[in-house]
């Protein structure tokens, strides 16, 4: 059947569409600042993470993909001048020749787009990356600055809920970004207003009964436990790591919680992991496993619910240092979870615990019931 000719859109509609695609011009984004996020992970706000438009193409930093939040890994071969994005365990592999300004995959298929390097950081064309790997993205105006968000199938919060949950952290990082910009040396012939000294205002004070759930990597639990000084926490362990019965008994005996770090990419495999983890904890410590942590892309919500598991997550982390974490916690006026990682947190952990205790926060492990 012969295809009917398409009607051209009215001129007013074209102009409205172009206006919608342009960066925001409100007061909050007047300095060109953009936030970026990968699923529920908000990136730092600086020159290394700042997205930008070039010739109508939106570029995002490789930092968005380095943490694996959207299921991709990033690699760089400086000798060959290549930057690569790939999904482990699959044939999806997108390679960018920085000098030749071309993009191709391992099968030799070429794609319309290329990556660029700014200040030693590689920036990728977002639409091409999302189309190739089956991701989605959105640009949303916020009261602070526009947000570019890259999302995989495992995303939990919609944009509105994510912005609401991340508003305090966005405000903190935006204020720090402005201070950084104002502290740069001024150009000859220009005047700057001195920035007032920043008041640390620590320790932050908790709302009545406010809890902070501490979450750590369980593989480093033996190093972390002595530093907790009696505070209770949740430790993330894979099925393989849960084969260590002595560790499981030590955690349970110390009043800590264990969450299974699910690694599977399908709901069926996840169900088997949950069964194995539950069996391991029961045999080692006669304790019923009911918490799970999942970074993958599969929809395992039904599996978790049917087996009586609670999916745990963390709104905050230690990535920006102890002071930034404490400030972010201070802006929350309700219970909040903080992921502190593995043994790398040990230098900052005493300061974090001491400040939270002075602020009268209730340090706690996750519980299935309040």
């Amino acid at each position: 059947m012969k295809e009917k000719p398409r009607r051209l859109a009215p001129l007013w509609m074209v102009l409205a569409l172009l206006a919608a695609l342009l960066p925001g011009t409100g007061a909050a984004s007047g300095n060109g600042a953009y936030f970026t996020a990968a699923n529920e992970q908000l990136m730092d706000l600086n020159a290394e993470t700042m997205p930008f438009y070039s010739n109508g193409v939106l570029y995002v930093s490789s930092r968005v993909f380095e943490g694996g939040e959207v299921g991709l890994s990033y690699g760089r071969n400086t000798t060959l001048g290549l930057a690569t994005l790939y999904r482990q365990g699959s044939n999806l592999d997108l390679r960018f020749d920085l000098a030749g300004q071309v993009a191709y995959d391992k099968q030799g298929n070429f794609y319309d787009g290329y990556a660029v390097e700014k200040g030693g950081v590689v920036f990728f064309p977002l639409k091409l990356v999302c189309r190739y790997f089956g991701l989605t993205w959105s640009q949303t105006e916020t009261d602070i600055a526009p947000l570019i968000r890259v999302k995989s199938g495992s995303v939990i919060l919609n944009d509105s809920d994510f912005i609401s949950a991340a508003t305090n952290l966005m405000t903190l990082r935006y204020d720090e970004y402005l201070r950084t910009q104002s502290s740069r040396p001024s150009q000859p012939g220009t005047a700057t207003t001195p920035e007032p000294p920043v008041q640390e205002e620590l320790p932050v004070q908790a709302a009545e009964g406010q809890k902070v759930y501490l979450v750590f990597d369980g593989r480093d639990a033996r190093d972390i436990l002595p530093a907790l000084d009696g505070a209770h926490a949740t430790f993330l362990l894979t099925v393989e790591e849960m084969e260590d019965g002595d560790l499981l008994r030590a955690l349970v005996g110390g009043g800590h919680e264990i969450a299974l770090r699910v690694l599977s990419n399908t709901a069926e495999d996840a169900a088997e992991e949950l069964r194995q983890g539950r069996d391991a904890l029961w045999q080692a410590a006669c304790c019923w496993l009911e918490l799970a942590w999942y970074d993958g892309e599969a929809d395992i919500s039904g599996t978790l619910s049917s087996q009586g598991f609670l999916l745990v997550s963390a709104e905050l982390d230690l990535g920006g240092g102890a002071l930034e974490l404490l400030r972010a916690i201070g802006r929350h006026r309700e219970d909040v979870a903080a992921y502190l990682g593995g043994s790398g947190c040990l230098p900052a952990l005493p300061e974090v615990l001491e400040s939270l205790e002075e602020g009268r926060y209730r340090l706690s492990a996750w519980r299935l019931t309040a």
Side-chain angles (χ1 to χ4, degrees), residues 280-307:
L281 185 57
W282 182 258
Q283 292 176 15
C286 295
C287 187
W288 192 243
L289 181 66
E290 53 190 6
L291 302 178
W293 176 286
Y294 186 57
D295 296 321
E297 299 180 0
D299 181 5
I300 66 171
S301 56
T303 302
L304 293 170
S305 177
S306 65
Q307 298 197 27

Side-chain angles (χ1 to χ4, degrees), residues 77-265:
N77 188 321
T78 55
T79 302
L80 299 178
L82 290 178
T84 304
L85 290 174
Y86 59 96
R87 178 172 291 149
Q88 294 184 350
S90 75
N91 290 323
L92 296 179
D93 174 317
L94 194 55
R95 308 174 184 189
F96 295 86
D97 183 336
L98 299 176
Q101 293 190 332
V102 294
Y104 59 96
D105 60 23
K106 62 172 61 177
Q107 284 78 34
N109 302 308
F110 283 80
Y111 297 87
D112 184 16
Y114 55 88
V116 297
E117 184 176 5
K118 291 178 59 179
V121 178
V122 175
F123 288 77
F124 295 105
L126 182 56
K127 287 187 178 180
L128 171 58
V129 171
C130 288
R131 184 168 64 248
Y132 182 84
F133 290 102
L135 305 175
T136 60
W137 71 279
S138 59
Q139 178 174 333
T140 308
E141 292 292 332
T142 77
D143 292 335
I144 307 168
L147 169 69
I148 303 293
R149 191 176 181 211
V150 185
K151 294 167 282 190
S152 69
S154 63
V155 66
I156 299 173
L157 301 176
N158 60 35
D159 289 340
S160 177
D161 290 342
F162 172 77
I163 292 171
S164 177
T167 294
N168 291 332
L169 183 57
M170 293 170 73
T171 301
L172 174 66
R173 291 185 173 172
Y174 186 74
D175 290 343
E176 291 178 347
Y177 173 75
L178 292 182
R179 287 195 295 270
T180 301
Q181 296 297 103
S182 64
S183 64
R184 291 180 176 178
S186 59
Q187 298 296 323
T190 62
T192 59
T193 303
E195 187 76 12
V198 178
Q199 301 299 321
E200 303 298 348
E201 298 182 356
L202 294 177
V204 291
Q205 297 298 313
E208 184 177 356
Q210 185 178 357
K211 295 179 183 177
V212 175
Y213 301 108
L214 304 175
V215 183
F216 297 93
D217 286 337
R219 65 176 180 271
D220 294 330
R222 286 187 172 86
D223 296 325
I224 296 170
L225 285 173
L228 288 178
D229 194 26
H232 293 154
T234 299
F235 289 87
L236 311 179
L237 291 166
T238 65
V239 167
E240 183 178 358
E241 291 164 347
M242 290 182 70
E243 295 176 359
D244 188 343
D246 291 338
L247 175 59
L248 298 183
R249 286 185 286 271
L251 293 175
V252 172
H256 304 286
E257 287 289 339
I258 296 171
L260 176 66
R261 186 189 286 272
V262 180
L263 303 178
S264 297
N265 292 320

